[in-house]
């Protein structure tokens, strides 16, 4: 969440559980923040006006719809799992993500790299 890693590798069950927990927490905090601003009177609303751009940036950073989906490796072709509640924007981002994977030949490059590592381990 703070930019320490660009990629996290996990088994499907653990990765999905962690991802759902993070998403649920983020949605809950954003909802509570909105309620606090709306119910906080004039002072809160004036404060919101000063923070509006920062809060929109925060919301955008938590929005998964521009990212596409989760890449599944270990297969012979690019496979990306999109979120179950994906809208058209998210599906478009997922298709764009797959196109990038095809254009960069990421599957063959990954197989080659991991094969080299396997030889070194032997």
């Amino acid at each position: 969440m703070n930019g320490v890693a660009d990629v996290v590798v996990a088994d499907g069950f653990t990765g999905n559980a962690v991802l759902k927990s993070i998403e649920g927490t983020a949605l809950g905090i954003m909802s509570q923040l909105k309620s606090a601003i709306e119910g906080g009177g004039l002072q809160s609303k004036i404060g919101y006006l000063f923070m509006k751009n920062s809060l929109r940036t925060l919301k955008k950073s938590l929005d998964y719809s521009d990212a596409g989906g989760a890449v599944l490796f270990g297969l012979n072709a690019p496979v990306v799992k999109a979120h179950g509640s994906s809208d058209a924007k998210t599906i478009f981002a997922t298709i764009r993500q797959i196109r990038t994977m095809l254009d960069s030949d990421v599957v063959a490059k990954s197989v080659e790299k991991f094969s080299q590592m396997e030889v070194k381990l032997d």
Side-chain angles (χ1 to χ4, degrees):
M1 293 298 295
N2 61 2
V4 174
D6 292 327
V7 176
V8 176
V9 178
D11 66 85
F13 179 80
T14 303
N16 196 44
V18 170
L19 189 60
K20 298 273 188 211
S21 296
I22 291 169
E23 288 174 353
T25 301
L27 287 172
I29 289 171
M30 293 303 285
S31 177
Q32 288 179 355
L33 184 57
K34 183 178 179 180
S35 294
I37 291 167
E38 290 175 347
L42 183 61
Q43 187 175 9
S44 293
K45 291 178 177 133
I46 291 171
Y48 168 74
L49 291 175
F50 288 109
M51 295 187 63
K52 184 166 48 173
N53 290 337
S54 296
L55 292 172
R56 285 189 178 154
T57 301
L58 172 64
K59 184 177 179 183
K60 186 169 173 51
S61 76
L62 297 173
D63 184 8
Y64 62 86
S65 65
D66 287 330
V71 177
L72 305 178
F73 282 103
L75 304 163
N76 292 327
V79 175
V80 180
K81 187 228 176 265
H83 199 285
S85 62
S86 295
D87 58 10
K89 178 183 175 187
T90 309
I91 296 301
F92 179 80
T94 302
I95 293 169
R96 185 179 59 223
Q97 180 182 14
I98 293 169
R99 177 82 263 160
T100 301
M101 292 174 71
L102 289 170
D103 290 345
S104 64
D105 201 22
V106 70
V107 173
K109 288 177 182 176
S110 298
V111 168
E112 180 182 336
K113 195 64 157 176
F114 284 116
S115 295
Q116 291 170 359
M117 291 175 64
E118 191 174 299
V119 170
K120 289 179 185 178
L121 293 174
D122 288 340

